[in-house]
Amino acid sequence: MSTHKISIEGTNNPSIVKFVSNTQITQGGSYQFNNIDEAKESPVSQELFKLPFVSKIFISANFIAIEKYDIVEWNDIQSDIRELIEIYLNEGNTIVTDKAETRKKPVEIYAESTPNPMVMKFGCNKMLTPDDNEYKSAEETKNSPLAQVLFEFPFVKEVYISENYVSITKNEMIEWGEINNQLRSFLKDYIQSGKTIIDTSIAKVKMQVEATPIENLEGVSLEIANILEEHVKPAVANDGGNIVFQNYNESTKDVHVILQGACSGCPSSTVTLKNGIETMLKEMLPNKINNVIAANG
């Protein structure tokens, strides 16, 4: 029997942390449990739901991701949870039973237009991944079999996969009305079949512009990142996009952010940055903000 070593990985969602094993923990597929009743076929999830701060659990091939309530901070609990999961796995306990495979919730895919006319958001009624994954080209898709296949469509220009949706950027050779149903059917069949969406055993391709992990921030930078997480990200996610903090220059008081998904290249993104996000940050952090700039704009 292989020995499991568990490492802790943050995600772009500060409420979610991944506990990653150095070896595979399931036979493939992914599972989401929203409460202890749904987790009847996942003994490890039932144990974790006994902890009062656990909100949701997401299990994939080599990790367990936990979403917590705001009653505790991850820094105070993540080491204990890591140890608990590591002991549980090394004792040979069951992660999910065979019955869990047959109780899959029917997958529903719905298409939503976004402020960016070149991007369509395809929402799903199940969690796809606990973190954000952006692919500007087929060469960047090594860790995502789903993105690899999407780039085989001749009209797909970019792919962005987040918690429960896929945003697809098309080129100008075709209209959405001609391909919406095709993409919806493809995504539904792919996800329903339990194929791998993100292979967490493969590292992401390093992007030209990288976000700064929130756990590495302090001072004004941390305040800005928290405001973006709480007040801005939910709104842009509704439009199939994402915004993440990159850095803050204390001398110029400029904030650099990274736009992803539908927000990247959107004609209205500059207006949103200036009239929305910049104004909000100036009000919430008086005399600390001059400009908000898209690092990849």
Side-chain angles (χ1 to χ4, degrees), residues 11-197:
T11 71
N12 288 335
N13 184 335
S15 296
I16 300 176
V17 162
K18 290 162 59 176
F19 298 88
V20 184
S21 175
N22 60 327
T23 61
Q24 191 165 325
I25 63 173
T26 72
Q27 296 304 308
S30 58
Y31 309 84
Q32 179 183 345
F33 305 106
N34 300 310
N35 53 60
I36 196 168
D37 292 330
E38 289 185 7
K40 290 177 181 176
E41 304 302 335
S42 175
V44 67
S45 298
Q46 288 191 310
E47 290 301 312
L48 290 169
F49 272 120
K50 292 177 183 176
L51 302 170
F53 49 79
V54 173
S55 170
K56 295 178 184 177
I57 296 171
F58 182 76
I59 299 175
S60 193
N62 72 327
F63 71 81
I64 297 173
I66 297 175
E67 182 172 352
K68 70 170 182 65
Y69 293 112
D70 290 338
I71 56 175
V72 292
E73 297 298 326
W74 274 120
N75 286 341
D76 298 329
I77 57 174
Q78 60 187 18
S79 294
D80 290 339
I81 295 179
R82 185 203 67 77
E83 184 177 356
L84 185 154
I85 292 174
E86 190 169 272
I87 292 171
Y88 187 94
L89 291 173
N90 286 320
E91 287 179 347
N93 293 305
T94 302
I95 306 302
V96 291
T97 70
D98 292 339
K99 290 182 179 179
E101 288 283 346
T102 62
R103 299 183 65 218
K104 291 179 180 176
K105 184 177 180 181
V107 170
E108 297 176 9
I109 300 292
Y110 54 92
E112 291 183 1
S113 58
T114 75
N116 188 338
M118 305 306 290
V119 179
M120 188 69 66
K121 174 185 176 182
F122 294 89
C124 183
N125 63 334
K126 65 172 287 185
M127 190 174 184
L128 306 178
T129 172
D131 43 15
D132 305 306
N133 300 267
E134 185 174 39
Y135 306 98
K136 296 286 190 180
S137 68
E139 290 71 33
E140 298 173 357
T141 62
K142 290 182 174 62
N143 76 323
S144 176
L146 173 56
Q148 287 176 16
V149 180
L150 284 171
F151 271 103
E152 292 177 6
F153 290 98
F155 47 78
V156 171
K157 187 177 178 183
E158 297 178 16
V159 175
Y160 178 74
I161 305 174
S162 192
E163 291 184 23
N164 65 339
Y165 67 88
V166 179
S167 287
I168 296 176
T169 305
K170 71 173 184 66
N171 55 34
E172 297 179 353
M173 65 184 284
I174 202 164
E175 297 299 322
W176 281 117
E178 301 175 59
I179 56 177
N180 260 359
N181 289 337
Q182 180 184 6
L183 287 170
R184 282 182 60 221
S185 296
F186 168 78
L187 289 168
K188 180 175 181 177
D189 291 344
Y190 187 99
I191 296 167
Q192 186 78 64
S193 68
K195 294 178 181 176
T196 301
I197 295 169

